[in-house]
Amino acid sequence: SQTIHQWPATLVQPVGSPLSLECTVEGTSNPNLYWYRQAAGRGLQLLFYSVGIGQISSEVPQNLSASRPQDRQFILSSKKLLLSDSGFYLCAWNHQELFFGEGSRLTVL
Amino acid sequence: AQTVTQSQPEMSVQEAETVTLSCTYDTSESDYYLFWYKQPPSRQMILVIRQEAYKQQNATENRFSVNFQKAAKSFSLKISDSQLGDAAMYFCAYRSAALTGGTSYGKLTFGQGTILTVHP
């Protein structure tokens, strides 16, 4: 069966520091992968999606970037975090429907 | 652009009773999909139920059912015989049927979420 994992689960970072969140999918090949963010008091917002290695599409302008170095690996990054980057980040993949990882809670201080 | 609104930030229900979570949406499209997702305290979000807009019949999934009112653009979730394990944040979501390609399945518009508390 397919599984999706994210790490770290919780992260506290100072403003201006770099960020790297990882997501890995197992049990499938060439998945479509997504990064969503859930800000406090708001619904989930699609940030990036990828249909294959090296292929990244951005849905909203922001301070973050995404990369897909391997077929089943999706990374969310930032060179310098802003306070507004705080939130709950969810990685997902789709097969007909959308399946989510456990999420990573980022607090920028 | 489509929007999804959940006007109830928090709801509570007694165990074994019924609760209804509200969701409204705004779209100019005639064909689309609606979803309810559940995010329990363990955080992994899971799909509860989906509804195709072209189907008049309300979707049901065991104790979960929806009341889909297309003209009113309303999509409420009813949880019957509530259980402690139903406690979670519930998200309503919209997906356009006009999107093509495999990634269309992943491009959802979500509401703000409703936190459901179940009291024993």
Side-chain angles (χ1 to χ4, degrees), chain A residues 73-102:
Chain A
Q73 185 184 28
F74 202 23
I75 297 173
L76 186 69
S77 304
S78 174
K79 292 182 179 178
K80 290 184 178 181
L81 284 169
L82 306 173
L83 287 174
S84 58
D85 292 325
S86 293
F88 191 55
Y89 290 84
L90 285 161
C91 181
W93 73 283
N94 78 263
H95 174 68
Q96 300 293 329
E97 306 300 344
L98 202 57
F99 298 93
F100 289 90
E102 307 94 332

PDB file of all heavy atoms in Angstrom, chain A residues 73-102:
ATOM      1  N   GLN A  73      10.339  12.011  -3.770  1.00  0.00           N
ATOM      2  CA  GLN A  73      10.787  12.941  -2.748  1.00  0.00           C
ATOM      3  C   GLN A  73      10.427  14.363  -3.150  1.00  0.00           C
ATOM      4  O   GLN A  73      10.698  14.791  -4.272  1.00  0.00           O
ATOM      5  CB  GLN A  73      12.299  12.817  -2.541  1.00  0.00           C
ATOM      6  CG  GLN A  73      12.838  13.671  -1.411  1.00  0.00           C
ATOM      7  CD  GLN A  73      14.360  13.594  -1.313  1.00  0.00           C
ATOM      8  OE1 GLN A  73      15.039  13.361  -2.313  1.00  0.00           O
ATOM      9  NE2 GLN A  73      14.883  13.777  -0.117  1.00  0.00           N
ATOM     10  N   PHE A  74       9.838  15.086  -2.203  1.00  0.00           N
ATOM     11  CA  PHE A  74       9.394  16.456  -2.467  1.00  0.00           C
ATOM     12  C   PHE A  74       9.876  17.296  -1.293  1.00  0.00           C
ATOM     13  O   PHE A  74       9.609  16.962  -0.140  1.00  0.00           O
ATOM     14  CB  PHE A  74       7.873  16.483  -2.584  1.00  0.00           C
ATOM     15  CG  PHE A  74       7.308  17.647  -3.350  1.00  0.00           C
ATOM     16  CD1 PHE A  74       8.056  18.345  -4.278  1.00  0.00           C
ATOM     17  CD2 PHE A  74       5.989  18.028  -3.156  1.00  0.00           C
ATOM     18  CE1 PHE A  74       7.513  19.397  -4.993  1.00  0.00           C
ATOM     19  CE2 PHE A  74       5.428  19.082  -3.867  1.00  0.00           C
ATOM     20  CZ  PHE A  74       6.199  19.764  -4.792  1.00  0.00           C
ATOM     21  N   ILE A  75      10.567  18.387  -1.572  1.00  0.00           N
ATOM     22  CA  ILE A  75      11.183  19.186  -0.518  1.00  0.00           C
ATOM     23  C   ILE A  75      10.673  20.612  -0.592  1.00  0.00           C
ATOM     24  O   ILE A  75      10.589  21.195  -1.678  1.00  0.00           O
ATOM     25  CB  ILE A  75      12.720  19.163  -0.642  1.00  0.00           C
ATOM     26  CG1 ILE A  75      13.229  17.723  -0.458  1.00  0.00           C
ATOM     27  CG2 ILE A  75      13.358  20.090   0.391  1.00  0.00           C
ATOM     28  CD1 ILE A  75      14.701  17.556  -0.737  1.00  0.00           C
ATOM     29  N   LEU A  76      10.346  21.158   0.557  1.00  0.00           N
ATOM     30  CA  LEU A  76       9.938  22.558   0.667  1.00  0.00           C
ATOM     31  C   LEU A  76      11.058  23.315   1.366  1.00  0.00           C
ATOM     32  O   LEU A  76      11.523  22.879   2.426  1.00  0.00           O
ATOM     33  CB  LEU A  76       8.641  22.673   1.456  1.00  0.00           C
ATOM     34  CG  LEU A  76       8.025  24.069   1.537  1.00  0.00           C
ATOM     35  CD1 LEU A  76       7.488  24.502   0.181  1.00  0.00           C
ATOM     36  CD2 LEU A  76       6.897  24.088   2.566  1.00  0.00           C
ATOM     37  N   SER A  77      11.469  24.440   0.797  1.00  0.00           N
ATOM     38  CA  SER A  77      12.642  25.138   1.324  1.00  0.00           C
ATOM     39  C   SER A  77      12.417  26.633   1.396  1.00  0.00           C
ATOM     40  O   SER A  77      11.519  27.185   0.750  1.00  0.00           O
ATOM     41  CB  SER A  77      13.853  24.890   0.409  1.00  0.00           C
ATOM     42  OG  SER A  77      14.110  23.523   0.242  1.00  0.00           O
ATOM     43  N   SER A  78      13.292  27.235   2.197  1.00  0.00           N
ATOM     44  CA  SER A  78      13.393  28.680   2.222  1.00  0.00           C
ATOM     45  C   SER A  78      14.815  29.049   2.578  1.00  0.00           C
ATOM     46  O   SER A  78      15.441  28.382   3.400  1.00  0.00           O
ATOM     47  CB  SER A  78      12.429  29.288   3.242  1.00  0.00           C
ATOM     48  OG  SER A  78      12.651  30.681   3.345  1.00  0.00           O
ATOM     49  N   LYS A  79      15.325  30.118   1.984  1.00  0.00           N
ATOM     50  CA  LYS A  79      16.678  30.578   2.325  1.00  0.00           C
ATOM     51  C   LYS A  79      16.648  31.436   3.583  1.00  0.00           C
ATOM     52  O   LYS A  79      17.553  31.407   4.403  1.00  0.00           O
ATOM     53  CB  LYS A  79      17.272  31.360   1.162  1.00  0.00           C
ATOM     54  CG  LYS A  79      17.558  30.511  -0.063  1.00  0.00           C
ATOM     55  CD  LYS A  79      18.193  31.342  -1.169  1.00  0.00           C
ATOM     56  CE  LYS A  79      18.504  30.468  -2.379  1.00  0.00           C
ATOM     57  NZ  LYS A  79      19.089  31.270  -3.498  1.00  0.00           N
ATOM     58  N   LYS A  80      15.557  32.225   3.721  1.00  0.00           N
ATOM     59  CA  LYS A  80      15.423  33.098   4.891  1.00  0.00           C
ATOM     60  C   LYS A  80      13.963  33.148   5.304  1.00  0.00           C
ATOM     61  O   LYS A  80      13.134  33.759   4.618  1.00  0.00           O
ATOM     62  CB  LYS A  80      15.909  34.517   4.580  1.00  0.00           C
ATOM     63  CG  LYS A  80      17.403  34.646   4.381  1.00  0.00           C
ATOM     64  CD  LYS A  80      17.786  36.103   4.186  1.00  0.00           C
ATOM     65  CE  LYS A  80      19.295  36.256   4.037  1.00  0.00           C
ATOM     66  NZ  LYS A  80      19.693  37.673   3.879  1.00  0.00           N
ATOM     67  N   LEU A  81      13.644  32.558   6.428  1.00  0.00           N
ATOM     68  CA  LEU A  81      12.262  32.492   6.886  1.00  0.00           C
ATOM     69  C   LEU A  81      11.739  33.851   7.353  1.00  0.00           C
ATOM     70  O   LEU A  81      12.469  34.652   7.930  1.00  0.00           O
ATOM     71  CB  LEU A  81      12.133  31.489   8.028  1.00  0.00           C
ATOM     72  CG  LEU A  81      12.146  30.015   7.624  1.00  0.00           C
ATOM     73  CD1 LEU A  81      12.292  29.137   8.846  1.00  0.00           C
ATOM     74  CD2 LEU A  81      10.893  29.663   6.846  1.00  0.00           C
ATOM     75  N   LEU A  82      10.450  34.059   7.108  1.00  0.00           N
ATOM     76  CA  LEU A  82       9.731  35.232   7.589  1.00  0.00           C
ATOM     77  C   LEU A  82       8.738  34.789   8.667  1.00  0.00           C
ATOM     78  O   LEU A  82       8.351  33.618   8.719  1.00  0.00           O
ATOM     79  CB  LEU A  82       8.959  35.894   6.439  1.00  0.00           C
ATOM     80  CG  LEU A  82       9.756  36.272   5.191  1.00  0.00           C
ATOM     81  CD1 LEU A  82       8.803  36.750   4.103  1.00  0.00           C
ATOM     82  CD2 LEU A  82      10.781  37.345   5.532  1.00  0.00           C
ATOM     83  N   LEU A  83       8.307  35.727   9.493  1.00  0.00           N
ATOM     84  CA  LEU A  83       7.305  35.391  10.498  1.00  0.00           C
ATOM     85  C   LEU A  83       6.051  34.812   9.845  1.00  0.00           C
ATOM     86  O   LEU A  83       5.424  33.889  10.380  1.00  0.00           O
ATOM     87  CB  LEU A  83       6.929  36.636  11.310  1.00  0.00           C
ATOM     88  CG  LEU A  83       7.965  37.143  12.306  1.00  0.00           C
ATOM     89  CD1 LEU A  83       7.501  38.471  12.914  1.00  0.00           C
ATOM     90  CD2 LEU A  83       8.221  36.118  13.407  1.00  0.00           C
ATOM     91  N   SER A  84       5.709  35.353   8.696  1.00  0.00           N
ATOM     92  CA  SER A  84       4.492  34.927   8.005  1.00  0.00           C
ATOM     93  C   SER A  84       4.591  33.517   7.432  1.00  0.00           C
ATOM     94  O   SER A  84       3.587  32.980   6.942  1.00  0.00           O
ATOM     95  CB  SER A  84       4.161  35.911   6.872  1.00  0.00           C
ATOM     96  OG  SER A  84       5.248  35.995   5.957  1.00  0.00           O
ATOM     97  N   ASP A  85       5.759  32.906   7.484  1.00  0.00           N
ATOM     98  CA  ASP A  85       5.897  31.530   7.012  1.00  0.00           C
ATOM     99  C   ASP A  85       5.416  30.515   8.048  1.00  0.00           C
ATOM    100  O   ASP A  85       5.302  29.324   7.751  1.00  0.00           O
ATOM    101  CB  ASP A  85       7.347  31.231   6.654  1.00  0.00           C
ATOM    102  CG  ASP A  85       7.817  32.002   5.434  1.00  0.00           C
ATOM    103  OD1 ASP A  85       6.985  32.215   4.513  1.00  0.00           O
ATOM    104  OD2 ASP A  85       8.987  32.418   5.400  1.00  0.00           O
ATOM    105  N   SER A  86       5.138  30.976   9.247  1.00  0.00           N
ATOM    106  CA  SER A  86       4.625  30.057  10.278  1.00  0.00           C
ATOM    107  C   SER A  86       3.337  29.408   9.807  1.00  0.00           C
ATOM    108  O   SER A  86       2.490  30.053   9.171  1.00  0.00           O
ATOM    109  CB  SER A  86       4.361  30.820  11.579  1.00  0.00           C
ATOM    110  OG  SER A  86       5.562  31.272  12.153  1.00  0.00           O
ATOM    111  N   GLY A  87       3.186  28.134  10.149  1.00  0.00           N
ATOM    112  CA  GLY A  87       1.963  27.435   9.760  1.00  0.00           C
ATOM    113  C   GLY A  87       2.167  25.936   9.794  1.00  0.00           C
ATOM    114  O   GLY A  87       3.191  25.432  10.226  1.00  0.00           O
ATOM    115  N   PHE A  88       1.153  25.264   9.321  1.00  0.00           N
ATOM    116  CA  PHE A  88       1.160  23.803   9.279  1.00  0.00           C
ATOM    117  C   PHE A  88       1.255  23.408   7.817  1.00  0.00           C
ATOM    118  O   PHE A  88       0.404  23.771   7.011  1.00  0.00           O
ATOM    119  CB  PHE A  88      -0.130  23.288   9.924  1.00  0.00           C
ATOM    120  CG  PHE A  88      -0.146  21.818  10.185  1.00  0.00           C
ATOM    121  CD1 PHE A  88       0.855  21.220  10.923  1.00  0.00           C
ATOM    122  CD2 PHE A  88      -1.172  21.034   9.699  1.00  0.00           C
ATOM    123  CE1 PHE A  88       0.842  19.861  11.178  1.00  0.00           C
ATOM    124  CE2 PHE A  88      -1.199  19.678   9.949  1.00  0.00           C
ATOM    125  CZ  PHE A  88      -0.190  19.084  10.676  1.00  0.00           C
ATOM    126  N   TYR A  89       2.302  22.666   7.474  1.00  0.00           N
ATOM    127  CA  TYR A  89       2.572  22.322   6.091  1.00  0.00           C
ATOM    128  C   TYR A  89       2.240  20.854   5.849  1.00  0.00           C
ATOM    129  O   TYR A  89       2.702  19.969   6.571  1.00  0.00           O
ATOM    130  CB  TYR A  89       4.040  22.610   5.752  1.00  0.00           C
ATOM    131  CG  TYR A  89       4.332  24.094   5.709  1.00  0.00           C
ATOM    132  CD1 TYR A  89       4.617  24.793   6.881  1.00  0.00           C
ATOM    133  CD2 TYR A  89       4.301  24.797   4.505  1.00  0.00           C
ATOM    134  CE1 TYR A  89       4.867  26.148   6.845  1.00  0.00           C
ATOM    135  CE2 TYR A  89       4.546  26.154   4.465  1.00  0.00           C
ATOM    136  CZ  TYR A  89       4.823  26.822   5.642  1.00  0.00           C
ATOM    137  OH  TYR A  89       5.068  28.169   5.606  1.00  0.00           O
ATOM    138  N   LEU A  90       1.471  20.641   4.817  1.00  0.00           N
ATOM    139  CA  LEU A  90       1.031  19.296   4.493  1.00  0.00           C
ATOM    140  C   LEU A  90       1.502  18.919   3.099  1.00  0.00           C
ATOM    141  O   LEU A  90       1.288  19.660   2.135  1.00  0.00           O
ATOM    142  CB  LEU A  90      -0.493  19.191   4.555  1.00  0.00           C
ATOM    143  CG  LEU A  90      -1.102  19.153   5.956  1.00  0.00           C
ATOM    144  CD1 LEU A  90      -2.571  19.528   5.901  1.00  0.00           C
ATOM    145  CD2 LEU A  90      -0.941  17.772   6.559  1.00  0.00           C
ATOM    146  N   CYS A  91       2.118  17.755   3.015  1.00  0.00           N
ATOM    147  CA  CYS A  91       2.481  17.182   1.734  1.00  0.00           C
ATOM    148  C   CYS A  91       1.374  16.218   1.331  1.00  0.00           C
ATOM    149  O   CYS A  91       0.742  15.581   2.198  1.00  0.00           O
ATOM    150  CB  CYS A  91       3.808  16.447   1.856  1.00  0.00           C
ATOM    151  SG  CYS A  91       4.395  15.702   0.329  1.00  0.00           S
ATOM    152  N   ALA A  92       1.121  16.100   0.056  1.00  0.00           N
ATOM    153  CA  ALA A  92       0.064  15.211  -0.397  1.00  0.00           C
ATOM    154  C   ALA A  92       0.420  14.631  -1.756  1.00  0.00           C
ATOM    155  O   ALA A  92       1.230  15.181  -2.493  1.00  0.00           O
ATOM    156  CB  ALA A  92      -1.273  15.953  -0.475  1.00  0.00           C
ATOM    157  N   TRP A  93      -0.201  13.503  -2.048  1.00  0.00           N
ATOM    158  CA  TRP A  93      -0.090  12.920  -3.384  1.00  0.00           C
ATOM    159  C   TRP A  93      -1.483  12.513  -3.827  1.00  0.00           C
ATOM    160  O   TRP A  93      -2.400  12.373  -3.002  1.00  0.00           O
ATOM    161  CB  TRP A  93       0.865  11.727  -3.408  1.00  0.00           C
ATOM    162  CG  TRP A  93       0.325  10.483  -2.767  1.00  0.00           C
ATOM    163  CD1 TRP A  93       0.223  10.221  -1.439  1.00  0.00           C
ATOM    164  CD2 TRP A  93      -0.180   9.333  -3.454  1.00  0.00           C
ATOM    165  NE1 TRP A  93      -0.333   8.983  -1.244  1.00  0.00           N
ATOM    166  CE2 TRP A  93      -0.576   8.401  -2.451  1.00  0.00           C
ATOM    167  CE3 TRP A  93      -0.327   8.989  -4.795  1.00  0.00           C
ATOM    168  CZ2 TRP A  93      -1.116   7.154  -2.766  1.00  0.00           C
ATOM    169  CZ3 TRP A  93      -0.862   7.741  -5.104  1.00  0.00           C
ATOM    170  CH2 TRP A  93      -1.246   6.840  -4.098  1.00  0.00           C
ATOM    171  N   ASN A  94      -1.691  12.360  -5.104  1.00  0.00           N
ATOM    172  CA  ASN A  94      -3.024  11.988  -5.541  1.00  0.00           C
ATOM    173  C   ASN A  94      -3.032  10.730  -6.409  1.00  0.00           C
ATOM    174  O   ASN A  94      -2.137  10.481  -7.194  1.00  0.00           O
ATOM    175  CB  ASN A  94      -3.719  13.154  -6.255  1.00  0.00           C
ATOM    176  CG  ASN A  94      -3.242  13.339  -7.683  1.00  0.00           C
ATOM    177  OD1 ASN A  94      -2.385  14.164  -7.963  1.00  0.00           O
ATOM    178  ND2 ASN A  94      -3.813  12.575  -8.609  1.00  0.00           N
ATOM    179  N   HIS A  95      -4.062   9.957  -6.151  1.00  0.00           N
ATOM    180  CA  HIS A  95      -4.459   8.863  -7.035  1.00  0.00           C
ATOM    181  C   HIS A  95      -5.975   8.897  -7.024  1.00  0.00           C
ATOM    182  O   HIS A  95      -6.609   8.427  -6.093  1.00  0.00           O
ATOM    183  CB  HIS A  95      -3.937   7.522  -6.541  1.00  0.00           C
ATOM    184  CG  HIS A  95      -4.461   6.369  -7.352  1.00  0.00           C
ATOM    185  ND1 HIS A  95      -4.082   6.180  -8.666  1.00  0.00           N
ATOM    186  CD2 HIS A  95      -5.327   5.393  -7.071  1.00  0.00           C
ATOM    187  CE1 HIS A  95      -4.699   5.112  -9.134  1.00  0.00           C
ATOM    188  NE2 HIS A  95      -5.464   4.610  -8.187  1.00  0.00           N
ATOM    189  N   GLN A  96      -6.545   9.537  -8.016  1.00  0.00           N
ATOM    190  CA  GLN A  96      -7.976   9.843  -8.002  1.00  0.00           C
ATOM    191  C   GLN A  96      -8.277  10.887  -6.929  1.00  0.00           C
ATOM    192  O   GLN A  96      -8.731  11.967  -7.216  1.00  0.00           O
ATOM    193  CB  GLN A  96      -8.838   8.593  -7.766  1.00  0.00           C
ATOM    194  CG  GLN A  96      -8.655   7.516  -8.821  1.00  0.00           C
ATOM    195  CD  GLN A  96      -9.172   7.929 -10.191  1.00  0.00           C
ATOM    196  OE1 GLN A  96     -10.112   8.700 -10.312  1.00  0.00           O
ATOM    197  NE2 GLN A  96      -8.540   7.438 -11.241  1.00  0.00           N
ATOM    198  N   GLU A  97      -8.037  10.536  -5.679  1.00  0.00           N
ATOM    199  CA  GLU A  97      -8.254  11.494  -4.594  1.00  0.00           C
ATOM    200  C   GLU A  97      -6.920  11.925  -4.010  1.00  0.00           C
ATOM    201  O   GLU A  97      -5.868  11.417  -4.371  1.00  0.00           O
ATOM    202  CB  GLU A  97      -9.140  10.883  -3.510  1.00  0.00           C
ATOM    203  CG  GLU A  97     -10.461  10.332  -4.010  1.00  0.00           C
ATOM    204  CD  GLU A  97     -11.335  11.391  -4.668  1.00  0.00           C
ATOM    205  OE1 GLU A  97     -11.075  12.607  -4.481  1.00  0.00           O
ATOM    206  OE2 GLU A  97     -12.278  11.022  -5.394  1.00  0.00           O
ATOM    207  N   LEU A  98      -7.014  12.860  -3.069  1.00  0.00           N
ATOM    208  CA  LEU A  98      -5.814  13.430  -2.471  1.00  0.00           C
ATOM    209  C   LEU A  98      -5.538  12.746  -1.138  1.00  0.00           C
ATOM    210  O   LEU A  98      -6.448  12.589  -0.317  1.00  0.00           O
ATOM    211  CB  LEU A  98      -6.041  14.923  -2.265  1.00  0.00           C
ATOM    212  CG  LEU A  98      -4.821  15.843  -2.140  1.00  0.00           C
ATOM    213  CD1 LEU A  98      -3.912  15.725  -3.342  1.00  0.00           C
ATOM    214  CD2 LEU A  98      -5.287  17.278  -1.967  1.00  0.00           C
ATOM    215  N   PHE A  99      -4.281  12.330  -0.932  1.00  0.00           N
ATOM    216  CA  PHE A  99      -3.875  11.685   0.317  1.00  0.00           C
ATOM    217  C   PHE A  99      -2.772  12.519   0.949  1.00  0.00           C
ATOM    218  O   PHE A  99      -1.812  12.894   0.291  1.00  0.00           O
ATOM    219  CB  PHE A  99      -3.381  10.270   0.037  1.00  0.00           C
ATOM    220  CG  PHE A  99      -4.432   9.378  -0.566  1.00  0.00           C
ATOM    221  CD1 PHE A  99      -4.534   9.245  -1.938  1.00  0.00           C
ATOM    222  CD2 PHE A  99      -5.324   8.699   0.239  1.00  0.00           C
ATOM    223  CE1 PHE A  99      -5.509   8.448  -2.509  1.00  0.00           C
ATOM    224  CE2 PHE A  99      -6.306   7.886  -0.317  1.00  0.00           C
ATOM    225  CZ  PHE A  99      -6.401   7.759  -1.692  1.00  0.00           C
ATOM    226  N   PHE A 100      -2.915  12.768   2.246  1.00  0.00           N
ATOM    227  CA  PHE A 100      -2.028  13.690   2.937  1.00  0.00           C
ATOM    228  C   PHE A 100      -1.042  12.985   3.862  1.00  0.00           C
ATOM    229  O   PHE A 100      -1.314  11.908   4.392  1.00  0.00           O
ATOM    230  CB  PHE A 100      -2.851  14.669   3.789  1.00  0.00           C
ATOM    231  CG  PHE A 100      -3.626  15.673   2.984  1.00  0.00           C
ATOM    232  CD1 PHE A 100      -4.922  15.403   2.574  1.00  0.00           C
ATOM    233  CD2 PHE A 100      -3.057  16.898   2.649  1.00  0.00           C
ATOM    234  CE1 PHE A 100      -5.645  16.329   1.842  1.00  0.00           C
ATOM    235  CE2 PHE A 100      -3.773  17.834   1.917  1.00  0.00           C
ATOM    236  CZ  PHE A 100      -5.063  17.550   1.510  1.00  0.00           C
ATOM    237  N   GLY A 101       0.091  13.649   4.063  1.00  0.00           N
ATOM    238  CA  GLY A 101       1.039  13.232   5.090  1.00  0.00           C
ATOM    239  C   GLY A 101       0.599  13.723   6.453  1.00  0.00           C
ATOM    240  O   GLY A 101      -0.462  14.325   6.600  1.00  0.00           O
ATOM    241  N   GLU A 102       1.470  13.473   7.447  1.00  0.00           N
ATOM    242  CA  GLU A 102       1.113  13.808   8.826  1.00  0.00           C
ATOM    243  C   GLU A 102       1.242  15.290   9.118  1.00  0.00           C
ATOM    244  O   GLU A 102       0.738  15.780  10.111  1.00  0.00           O
ATOM    245  CB  GLU A 102       1.995  13.022   9.816  1.00  0.00           C
ATOM    246  CG  GLU A 102       2.013  11.520   9.592  1.00  0.00           C
ATOM    247  CD  GLU A 102       3.180  11.078   8.730  1.00  0.00           C
ATOM    248  OE1 GLU A 102       3.650  11.892   7.897  1.00  0.00           O
ATOM    249  OE2 GLU A 102       3.626   9.927   8.889  1.00  0.00           O
TER     250      GLU A 102
END
